[in-house]
Amino acid sequence: AVVSRSYKIDKLTDKNYYPWKMTMEILLQKMDLMEIVDGSTRCPDRENAAFADEVSKWDDDDRSARLELLLHMDDTQKQNVRTLHTAHEIWTQLQETYQHRTVG
């Protein structure tokens, strides 16, 4: 799904996790990517050739989700997730970092 880039979404900082998360959840749902991000849609078995098309689609969706997350994070936040490989890993790391810390 293609989403208009006319949205103005504040980048994630140390101080705005909850409003950022709420906005990103809606954006990712609109783009049909939230299930990749929240981990409810997992990558099919890469070792099974029968799933090659599904793996390719999952990889494309994960790249799109990672891009959306990174485009909406400030540079400090990007540094904190730079070693992570999937959108779900990034989302989980952000939750673990900020869920208990910020109010807003």
Side-chain angles (χ1 to χ4, degrees):
V2 176
V3 175
S4 167
R5 295 288 177 214
S6 63
Y7 295 114
K8 169 67 175 103
I9 299 171
D10 290 334
K11 292 186 177 201
L12 175 64
T13 67
D14 286 335
K15 302 193 183 324
N16 68 345
Y17 174 72
Y18 283 107
W20 177 87
K21 179 185 177 200
M22 185 173 62
T23 304
M24 288 303 296
E25 284 175 340
I26 294 167
L27 174 68
L28 292 163
Q29 287 167 0
K30 185 171 177 65
M31 298 178 74
D32 295 324
L33 297 173
M34 194 61 212
E35 290 182 351
I36 296 285
V37 172
D38 70 16
S40 57
T41 298
R42 300 216 178 261
C43 185
D45 182 3
R46 291 183 183 280
E47 305 302 315
N48 187 335
F51 294 120
D53 288 344
E54 289 88 348
V55 169
S56 179
K57 179 178 180 348
W58 188 92
D59 285 341
D60 286 346
D61 288 347
D62 184 66
R63 274 190 293 276
S64 294
R66 281 185 288 144
L67 178 61
E68 288 301 324
L69 290 171
L70 292 172
L71 286 172
H72 297 98
M73 296 166 67
D74 72 16
D75 289 343
T76 301
Q77 307 311 312
K78 289 176 190 173
Q79 274 297 109
N80 294 335
V81 299
R82 72 186 181 284
T83 61
L84 304 178
H85 302 288
T86 67
H88 178 60
E89 289 175 351
I90 292 169
W91 191 253
T92 301
Q93 174 70 33
L94 294 173
Q95 283 182 313
E96 290 171 357
T97 300
Y98 293 110
Q99 196 105 3
H100 63 283
R101 215 165 70 165
T102 59
V103 178

